[in-house]
Amino acid sequence: MNKNNNLPLLNVKELKKYFPIRSGFFQKVVGNIIAVDGVSFSIQKGETFGLVGESGCGKSTTGLCIIKLIEPDSGEIFFKDKNITSMNNNEFRSMRKKIQIIFQDPYGSLNPRMTIGNIIGEALEIHKLCNNQKEKNEWISAMIKRVGLLPEYINRYPHEFSGGQRQRIGIARALAVNPEIIIADEPVSALDVSIQSQIINLLQDIQEELGLSYLFIAHDLSVVKHISNRIGVMYLGKIIELADKIDFFNNPLHPYSQSLLSAIPIPDPFNKPKRIILKGDVPSPANLPSGCRFHSRCPKVIKICKIEPPNFKDYGNNHYAACHLLN
């Protein structure tokens, strides 16, 4: 048996990304915005890993670092057994067709001056995946049909489509180069609720058909619950809880996760959990709290939380969390 069969498709180890804060006439660095601070997780073939948290916690930056649209400061990212963080742009170009991204904004992520055919076909040209124009047009039409649109849309422009249709075009663009993993960066948050379920169902159908893996980035836990196999919760640049979906929703360990889950609307008023309201605002990633980063908002804070960062530990069944209350 090939030992590589047990390797995760994607393995992120201690990923860090800081953005410098500059000030003064000479633009001297006076501090850092700590966007991603030692994030580690893996994704198996055919799996959906949900990465959740409030806006500004670093989840989108994590996704952009993986696809190298932002260069990480340190850490390692392995695709199968290849360390993509050590690759230069030319080396990574052939790898990029295996790792694609769907962006959050279906309006800003499509070039308004290009037809849908050219938007989807651009990557085919870059990676030289078609031998001639006829083959290219057939492949583009197949991608358009796969996402539930009509092939005759090939010569239309993005402004002629609704938000949901534009996101389908973004999905078709990602699928065009036969990727193995897709980073879905809040792909439904800009869409109407009625359209969100259609896009989620489309992503699941495509995953089942092609055996794709997803890194699904979102702030809405109800959406993540529907599509994910495992879930990681981020807060101020760190993953503070990671678990199988069923374990996470049945037994959230971290107070922050418990608060997020209490905010999910439940139609049954008799089984509705008590809402956990967090005090204050999320601290600035340029001025992080000492100790546990959540202590300034935590309803269960104790003295050690303000002094010492908690360890990220396995509390059974591969359910990890970083909280002093669990020790």
Side-chain angles (χ1 to χ4, degrees), residues 98-150:
K98 299 295 183 184
I99 310 172
Q100 286 291 298
I101 188 167
I102 301 167
F103 294 99
Q104 175 180 1
D105 182 7
Y107 297 91
S109 62
L110 303 178
N111 188 333
R113 297 180 180 178
M114 294 174 69
T115 64
I116 301 313
N118 288 335
I119 287 171
I120 298 172
E122 187 176 30
L124 299 176
E125 293 179 7
I126 292 171
H127 295 290
K128 298 179 173 59
L129 296 178
C130 294
N131 296 317
N132 52 57
Q133 188 64 40
K134 180 176 181 292
E135 187 179 322
K136 178 182 165 186
N137 287 342
E138 288 174 351
W139 187 248
I140 293 168
S141 294
M143 291 300 103
I144 291 174
K145 287 171 68 176
R146 175 169 272 162
V147 298
L149 297 175
L150 299 175

Side-chain angles (χ1 to χ4, degrees), residues 43 46-52 102 171 182-188 196-208 212-231 245 249:
I43 302 175
E47 180 185 36
T48 298
F49 182 79
L51 193 59
V52 301
I102 301 167
I171 294 169
I182 290 179
I183 298 165
D185 185 10
E186 305 230 25
V188 298
Q196 287 182 5
S197 60
Q198 295 178 21
I199 298 299
I200 293 296
N201 290 336
L202 173 64
L203 290 171
Q204 289 182 308
D205 291 344
I206 290 169
Q207 182 178 41
E208 188 174 331
L212 287 172
S213 301
Y214 292 138
L215 170 59
F216 193 90
I217 297 168
H219 63 268
D220 187 340
L221 270 173
S222 57
V223 172
V224 171
K225 182 179 182 180
H226 188 67
I227 195 171
S228 300
N229 304 110
R230 286 187 303 132
I231 292 169
K245 174 177 70 175
F249 280 93

